[in-house]
Amino acid sequence: MGGLRIAAQEVVRLLGSPATYFSVRLGAPSSPAYPCIHSAKPQAVNRLKQLIHEIHRRSLWQVLGIYVVASWAVLQVADTFASALGLPDWFPPLALGLLVVGLPIVLATAFVQEGMGSRPVAGEIEPGSAAADAADTAGAAPVGARSEAPESNWLRGLLTWRNAVTGGVLAFALWGVVAAGWLLAGGTVRAPTGEAAAADALVRTIAVLPLANLSPDPDHAYFADGVHEEILGTLSRIADLTVLSRQAVLQYRDSDKTMAEIGGELRAGSVVEGSVRRDGSSVRVTVQLIDAVSDGHVWSENYDRTLTAGSIFDIQTEIAENIALALRATLTPAEEDRIASRRTDDLEAYDYYSRGRAAYTTYALDGYEEAIRLFREAIASDSGYAPAWAGLADGLRQRAGNSYAGTDYHEDGVLQWADSADAAARKAIALASADADGYKALAGAMQYRQLHAKALEANLRALELDPNHWAATYNLGGSHQFLGRLDEALRWFKRARRLDPLAAFPGTQLLVVYARLGEEEIADRLYDEHRARFPSGGRAPGTAARLEFYRGDADAAYRVAARESAAFPESSPTLAMHAQAAAAVGSFEEAAAAAAKALRLAPLPAGATGGHNSGGRHAGAFFGYALSRTGQIQAGRAELKRVLAYRQAELDRGVDDVSLPWKMAAIHSALGNTDEALELVEQAYEAGYQPGRGYATMDPLLDSIRDDPRFGAVMEKSLADLEAMRRRIEAEEIAAGER
C-alpha cells in the first residue's frame, strides 16, 4: 500500500491539489475573490500533460499489456490443471483473484521503478535543463527531481521487479499447495461432463481377460484361473474403476478377436491380458494393459517370484496399483488397505480354494458338490482363510437351491444345507470384515430364505467394500424387486448389465421391470435384443408370456406360453406360466396337466417349510384351481389349502416378499374366503406390492373379489404408484441421455 501512496503522491504533485484541479474542471468564475483560479487552469493542463508523459516514460502501458497477456496464459494453465485433476469449479476463479490482487502492485512497482527504463518523452522537462531551471525559479518542482522522504526510499527498495516476480511465484505456489491439500484431504472433485466424461468412463472400464496357462503341467489351468480371479477381484475393489465381471470375459478365453473388437463388444476402453507359468517352486505372471480403442500398450510387467501364497497376493496388489496409476484412478486409503491384504499364507489352502472356485463356476450340481469338498479342504489347511468360508457358504446355498432336482430332494437336508450356508458366511465375515465375499454369501443365504430386507443390507455392505461385485449388484436388484421397489431394482439391474453386458440374467429382469412399469415398447425392444443374443432362450423361458400378461392380453399370453412350454418341457417356471395362461382362457384340463408336470419337476415339500423353487410354488395354486374347475372340487380345494398352508408358513417365518400376501389373497379368493382375500390384498399393497393392471385383470383366481370396491381402491392406488415410479425412471434416463 505504501507503493500506491507514493504513486498517488506523484499524481498529486503533477496535477496540483485536488481542490485546484476540480475547481478548474468545474469552471469556477475568475474573480478577485479567487485569485488562484486565474492561473490554475493552464497549470493543471500542463501538469496533466506532464502526468501523461510520465506514464509513457515509466512504461505503464507496456507493463499493463504484458501483465494482461501473462495473466491470460496463467489462467489457461490453471484451468488445464483444474480440469485434469478434477478440482472444484472455484479453483480457476481463485487464480483470477490472485491476478487481480497483483495488478495494482505491479503497476505501483512500475511507477516507482520508472517502468521498463527511463527515457525522455517528447516535451518532457528534463532535470538540469533550462526549462527545469525556469520552473524551479517559478516555484514548481522539476519533474525529474528526486526529493523523497526516507519512507519513500525504503518502499522503493521494497517495490522492485525481483520482489514482484517472487511474490507472483509464491502466490501461485500457494494455489498449488491449496489444490494438493484439497486432493489429499479427499475433497469432492469436479466430475467431467459431456464427451470428456464419456471418454474418461470408457478408459476406466476394464475387461480382465482370462490368463493363459503356460505351465508345463496343463492341469495347472485352475491355478492360472485362480490368479486371474484374484487380480480381477483386487481391481474390482477400486471404486474409480468399472471392472467387468468374470462371467463377461470368460467367453474370450483363447479368442482370436482383436482387443478393439473385444473392447467394443464389452464397451470397455481398457483390456488386461497376460499369462501365468507355474514351474516347481517358481511362478511368473505376465500382464499388459491395452488401450482397446487404439490397440496400443499402456503398461506391461513381468513378475518372477518364488511360489508362495504371499507372493501371489503381492503380485496382484502391484498389478492393481500399477493399472490404477496408468489409468489415473484415485485410490482411497481404505482401498489401498483392502487391495494389499493377504488372505492366507498357506499355499495348500490357496490351492484348494482355487480348485474349489473352478468347480463352483461350472454352475452344475456336481460342480457345487465338488466345490464344497474342496473349500472344506482349504479350511482344514487354514481355518482362518475367510474366502474359503465364503466359498463354502455359496456352495451350500447352491446345493440347497438345487436340491429338488431329480430324486435327490430331502427336506431335512435342504434345511441343514441352508443353515450351514448361513453359519459359514458369518464365519467368513468374522474372519475378514473388510472382505465383500462374506457379505455377498450371507446375502445369498438370506435371499434363499426369502428374507429380502436382510439380503439387501448384506449386499449393500458387500458393494461398499467391492463396488464392482457383479453378483452383489445383480442380487441387490432382485431384493429391491421382491420388496416392491421397482425403480430401485431397475437401477441395479442396469448396473449389473453394465458390469456384464453379455449376461442373460440382468437383461431378462430389466425387461420384466420395464413391462411392470408400463414401458411396453422398451420391454419389447429388450426382449427382441435378448432373443437375438440367446436364440435358445438364455434364461428367459416364460418371459414372453409374462410380457403379454402385463399387457392384459390373455389370448396372446396363452399362445406364447404354450409355445414356450413345448420348447422348454423341463422348465418348471415355464410350465407354471403355461398353467396360469391356460386357466386364464378357460382351458382348465390343459392348465391342470401343465401344473402337474411343473410340480413333478419342482415338488412342494410335504410340510410347510423347505426348498426354494418358484415354479412349484406358482404351479400349485393353479393346479388346485384347475382341478376344481374340471369337476374335481374336493381334490382341488385340498390342493389349494395345501399351497395356502405353505404360503402361511412362509409368512410366519418372516418371508418379506411383498407379493406373498397377494398370492395368499388369490388362493383365499379361489376358496371363496372373500373377507380374508380382501384383507390380504390391502396388506400386500401396504407392504409395497404393485401387481399391475394386466395381472390383476387376468388372474382367474381373483374372480370372486375383482368387482369389490375395496379391491378397486387398492388397484387405483397401486397403478398411481407404478406411474410415479415410471416417471422417475423416465426423468432420470432423459437427464442421462438414455432416451
Side-chain angles (χ1 to χ4, degrees), residues 483-725:
L483 293 171
R485 306 163 188 168
L486 299 184
D487 47 352
E488 279 296 322
L490 192 70
R491 296 181 186 106
W492 288 106
F493 286 140
K494 288 166 73 173
R495 170 67 178 168
R497 188 173 64 168
R498 181 70 193 94
L499 294 175
D500 188 352
L502 305 182
F505 293 105
T508 58
Q509 294 304 318
L510 273 175
L511 65 92
V512 166
V513 175
Y514 273 118
R516 290 184 65 182
L517 291 173
E519 295 283 8
E520 295 180 5
E521 291 185 5
I522 297 177
D524 287 342
R525 174 174 55 79
L526 290 174
Y527 181 76
D528 291 342
E529 292 175 359
H530 183 86
R531 289 305 299 268
R533 182 174 295 167
F534 304 101
S536 62
R539 303 283 183 175
T543 301
R546 291 177 71 183
L547 295 181
E548 300 300 340
F549 268 111
Y550 290 128
R551 289 192 183 90
D553 191 334
D555 292 332
Y558 168 68
R559 290 193 302 270
V560 174
R563 184 173 68 245
E564 290 193 329
S565 66
F568 302 97
E570 302 301 315
S571 168
S572 64
T574 303
L575 289 164
M577 185 63 65
H578 183 188
Q580 180 176 359
V585 297
S587 298
F588 300 116
E589 292 184 358
E590 186 177 348
K597 187 174 182 181
L599 286 167
R600 285 196 299 272
L601 289 168
L604 286 174
T609 60
H612 170 76
N613 180 263
S614 60
R617 294 202 312 274
H618 189 56
F622 288 99
F623 181 56
Y625 178 77
L627 288 177
S628 298
R629 296 301 301 268
T630 58
Q632 303 177 63
I633 297 175
Q634 186 174 354
R637 290 182 65 85
E639 182 65 19
L640 285 170
K641 289 179 180 180
R642 184 175 80 96
V643 178
L644 183 61
Y646 176 82
R647 296 294 193 184
Q648 183 63 54
E650 289 184 312
L651 195 64
D652 291 343
R653 65 184 172 87
V655 169
D656 54 3
D657 178 352
V658 296
S659 70
L660 180 55
W662 183 277
K663 292 169 182 174
M664 294 174 64
I667 298 174
H668 274 294
S669 174
L671 289 169
N673 305 328
T674 304
D675 289 339
E676 292 89 339
L678 289 170
E679 288 178 6
L680 284 165
V681 164
E682 292 170 341
Q683 182 179 332
Y685 172 74
E686 292 300 324
Y689 183 60
Q690 296 89 19
R693 187 183 302 279
Y695 262 96
T697 57
M698 289 174 55
D699 188 345
L701 275 67
L702 296 171
D703 285 348
S704 68
I705 62 171
R706 186 170 288 109
D707 295 331
D708 191 284
R710 290 170 64 185
F711 183 85
V714 168
M715 285 305 304
E716 184 177 352
K717 291 186 289 186
S718 175
L719 292 174
D721 291 344
L722 283 173
E723 177 61 16
M725 283 190 279

Side-chain angles (χ1 to χ4, degrees), residues 264-323:
E265 291 177 5
L266 294 175
R267 290 180 291 170
S270 301
V271 178
V272 177
E273 67 171 0
S275 61
V276 175
R277 179 181 175 85
R278 176 178 178 175
D279 191 2
S281 61
S282 65
V283 62
R284 163 176 274 208
V285 179
T286 300
V287 177
Q288 55 185 348
L289 175 65
I290 299 171
D291 185 329
V293 177
S294 66
D295 203 22
H297 287 66
V298 179
W299 167 83
S300 63
E301 188 62 76
N302 295 323
Y303 297 90
D304 292 291
R305 304 289 168 86
T306 300
L307 180 57
T308 65
S311 67
I312 297 300
F313 295 126
D314 289 344
I315 289 172
Q316 73 191 32
T317 299
E318 291 180 36
I319 290 172
E321 289 175 343
N322 283 320
I323 288 176

